[in-house]
């Protein structure tokens, strides 16, 4: 049996928790089974701040990247092109059997494209999600990556419908569940030990239930347009009159907030980006999460915490049909009323989406073994 060689790509924060479980599953496979799977992790350097990158490797026990391409920030074209330019020589040097990419960030499409052009099979983890909104840079990345992928691993059944409609051959699609949820389930107990609530002054003792909401905001469509951001901030200031809001601020958003005309309420507690375990604890104990993130819609579904997604659409419809997620139009009244209603209704329990059971990465490794 020939050994298998895989190069996995990470670049931006949401990639790290996905690769963590893939790397674990490959290691577990290698301890007891053949063929040996050689696994290199390449970090493109799309995210580079310690709090947006290194911290996650440490907390999640991800092997340090074998290579960091050190690309950094730039316009979409510059960042994507620079990743491609620096990734190609690595592929020529290592000639892996598979390049495995996750999610929908610029690093995902850039590395998939380089691999496909070199005739190296592309594996896309979290394939087939569609917001049907081409103004989202991630939607372009998703559509293009899927079009050139050879093995497509999906997290929910809507993705299969989307891929079949786009002409992807059914035998390329594998429904394995959600590797990011593998990581969540593995780390939840440890996250519960985090003292983040104490550090933020949200709870006095062990037994007192904390009373706060959590907010994250980083989509260009929400934070890059001052008018939209102002609408959201005004609404959140009103919500903060009912419940304190903890707001770990993404670097993109921090820049945008500085240019707002009105300040955030003192009841909105701004923090630096948090570590994985601190943020998981913060979400798990919150009364409500408001977000425009993709992954957080899925994590709150598993945690049973009400989630209001400040977007017109979601590429993850299972979080609405099965989970705790609700889309909220970007209008003052809509946001305030949805938040009040969610706070009034209290905790929600959804159905767990199929295969979100902590074993998705294991299924991925089994499929790749089978295909080799
Ligand atoms: C990227 C992804 C997005 C994902 C998000 C998670 C794309 C197109 N977008 O968006 O899908 O949801 O990551 O965070 O790939 N910056 C820092 N330090 C860092 C990284 C970025 O200060 O470590 C600042 C830079 O000013 C940069 C800006 O944040 O220009 C945006 O970073 P970028 O990677 O371009 O996009 P994100 O908004 O982070």
């Amino acid at each position: 049996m020939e050994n298998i060689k895989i190069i996995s790509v990470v670049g931006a924060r949401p990639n790290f928790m996905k690769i963590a479980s893939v790397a674990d599953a490959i290691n577990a496979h290698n301890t007891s089974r053949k063929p040996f799977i050689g696994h290199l992790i390449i970090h493109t350097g799309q995210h580079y701040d310690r709090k947006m990158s290194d911290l996650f490797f440490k907390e999640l026990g991800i092997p340090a990247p074998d290579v960091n391409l050190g690309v950094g920030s730039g316009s979409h074209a510059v960042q994507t092109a620079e990743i491609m330019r620096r990734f190609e020589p690595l592929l020529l040097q290592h000639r892996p059997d598979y390049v495995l990419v996750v999610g929908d960030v610029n690093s995902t499409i850039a590395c998939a494209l380089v691999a496909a052009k070199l005739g190296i099979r592309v594996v896309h983890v979290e394939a087939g999600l569609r917001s049907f909104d081409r103004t989202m840079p991630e939607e372009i990345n998703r559509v293009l990556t899927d079009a050139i992928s050879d093995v497509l691993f999906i997290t929910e059944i809507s993705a299969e419908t989307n891929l079949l409609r786009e002409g992807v051959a059914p035998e390329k699609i594998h429904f394995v569940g959600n590797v990011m949820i593998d990581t969540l389930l593995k780390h939840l107990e440890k996250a519960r030990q985090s003292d983040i609530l104490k550090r933020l002054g949200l709870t006095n003792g062990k037994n007192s239930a904390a009373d706060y909401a959590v907010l994250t905001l980083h989509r260009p469509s929400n934070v890059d347009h001052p008018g939209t951001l102002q609408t959201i901030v005004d609404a959140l200031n009103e919500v903060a009159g009912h419940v304190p809001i903890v707001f770990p601020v993404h670097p993109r958003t921090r820049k945008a907030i500085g240019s707002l005309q009105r300040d955030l309420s003192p009841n909105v507690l701004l923090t630096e980006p948090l570590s994985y375990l601190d943020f998981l604890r913060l979400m798990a104990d919150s009364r409500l999460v408001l977000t425009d993130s993709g992954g957080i819609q899925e994590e709150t579904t598993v945690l049973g915490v009400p989630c209001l997604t400040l977007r017109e659409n979601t590429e993850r419809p299972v979080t609405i049909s099965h989970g705790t997620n609700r889309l909220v139009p970007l209008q003052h009244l809509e946001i305030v009323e949805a938040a009040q209603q969610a706070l009034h209704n209290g905790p929600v329990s959804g159905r767990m989406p199929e295969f979100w059971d902590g074993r998705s990465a294991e299924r991925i490794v089994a499929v790749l073994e089978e295909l080799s």
Side-chain angles (χ1 to χ4, degrees):
M1 216 181 262
E2 293 260 326
N3 291 345
I4 306 173
K5 196 166 168 185
I6 301 177
I7 287 189
S8 288
V9 174
V10 291
R13 185 169 60 177
N15 297 159
F16 307 135
M17 34 291 224
K18 295 169 192 165
I19 285 300
S21 58
V22 173
D24 277 354
I26 290 177
N27 284 341
H29 165 95
N30 283 341
T31 56
S32 59
R33 305 197 36 194
K34 288 208 159 56
F36 180 80
I37 303 179
H39 187 214
L40 293 183
I41 298 179
I42 308 296
H43 193 324
T44 64
Q46 177 175 346
H47 283 176
Y48 42 84
D49 284 349
R50 192 180 149 271
K51 288 183 173 155
M52 298 293 285
S53 178
D54 290 9
L55 213 52
F56 291 81
F57 282 79
K58 278 204 191 80
E59 277 197 350
L60 299 175
I62 310 171
D66 294 278
V67 179
N68 190 321
L69 301 177
V71 163
S73 302
S75 70
H76 284 271
V78 166
Q79 189 174 60
T80 309
E82 199 55 37
I83 295 168
M84 291 178 67
R85 207 175 65 78
R86 297 185 192 194
F87 188 55
E88 187 179 47
L90 270 173
L91 285 194
L92 290 170
Q93 181 192 344
H94 292 284
R95 280 274 163 199
D97 301 292
Y98 297 102
V99 165
L100 184 148
V101 295
V102 295
D104 54 17
V105 302
N106 285 346
S107 301
T108 310
I109 176 61
C111 295
L113 190 50
V114 174
K117 291 276 181 85
L118 291 175
I120 296 169
R121 281 175 287 180
V122 177
V123 177
H124 187 200
V125 175
E126 204 184 84
L129 298 178
R130 296 290 180 269
S131 66
F132 305 102
D133 174 2
R134 294 261 173 121
T135 65
M136 274 181 98
E138 294 82 2
E139 182 74 353
I140 311 266
N141 294 342
R142 291 180 200 117
V143 170
L144 296 182
T145 303
D146 287 338
I148 55 173
S149 289
D150 300 280
V151 189
L152 297 95
F153 289 114
I154 62 170
T155 53
E156 60 171 279
I157 209 67
S158 74
E160 181 177 42
T161 314
N162 296 333
L163 292 170
L164 293 175
R165 193 191 315 105
E166 290 171 19
V168 174
E171 60 273 18
K172 289 183 176 177
I173 305 168
H174 304 269
F175 185 16
V176 292
N178 194 321
V179 293
M180 191 189 65
I181 299 305
D182 289 3
T183 299
L184 184 154
L185 295 174
K186 183 173 171 196
H187 288 87
L188 190 53
E189 265 326 295
K190 201 166 169 200
R192 292 201 193 279
Q193 316 298 316
S194 153
D195 63 354
I196 184 68
L197 303 190
K198 215 155 131 199
R199 276 188 278 141
L200 294 176
L202 292 167
T203 181
N204 299 319
K206 265 194 170 167
N207 297 322
S208 56
D211 182 21
Y212 61 90
V214 176
L215 166 71
T216 80
L217 217 53
H218 76 284
R219 291 262 155 251
S221 56
N222 281 345
V223 306
D224 288 357
H225 303 284
T228 311
L229 185 59
Q230 190 68 63
T231 302
I232 296 174
V233 162
D234 287 346
L236 292 171
N237 280 345
E238 200 172 325
V239 175
H242 303 277
V243 65
I245 300 177
V246 184
F247 182 12
V249 188
H250 186 281
R252 174 189 284 280
T253 312
R254 188 165 288 280
K255 284 183 193 160
I257 282 181
S259 55
L260 284 178
Q261 298 197 328
R262 285 180 296 282
D263 288 340
L264 277 159
S265 147
N267 230 11
V268 178
L269 180 60
L270 302 187
T271 76
E272 291 289 306
L274 295 178
S275 79
Y276 181 76
L277 295 175
D278 285 347
F279 189 68
L280 185 51
R281 169 83 205 267
L282 194 67
M283 273 195 297
D285 282 17
S286 69
R287 287 178 65 193
L288 170 67
V289 172
L290 301 116
T291 191
D292 60 6
S293 149
I296 291 173
Q297 299 170 47
E298 300 182 331
E299 290 169 334
T300 47
T301 278
V302 172
L303 295 170
V305 173
C307 177
L308 299 180
T309 296
L310 304 174
R311 286 175 46 189
E312 309 287 340
N313 52 55
T314 178
E315 60 288 333
R316 293 163 160 90
V318 79
T319 60
I320 295 176
S321 61
H322 286 55
T324 61
N325 188 22
R326 182 178 156 196
L327 296 178
V328 183
L330 295 167
Q331 282 154 25
H332 187 102
L333 213 66
E334 299 265 11
I335 297 172
V336 172
E337 282 182 1
Q340 280 173 344
Q341 201 180 62
L343 290 169
H344 177 262
N345 291 345
V348 279
S349 57
R351 278 177 297 145
M352 192 69 90
E354 198 178 352
F355 293 147
W356 290 23
D357 58 359
R359 304 187 60 186
S360 302
E362 200 181 306
R363 292 187 194 100
I364 286 176
V365 172
V367 170
L368 294 178
E369 186 186 347
E370 177 103 18
L371 290 174
S372 301

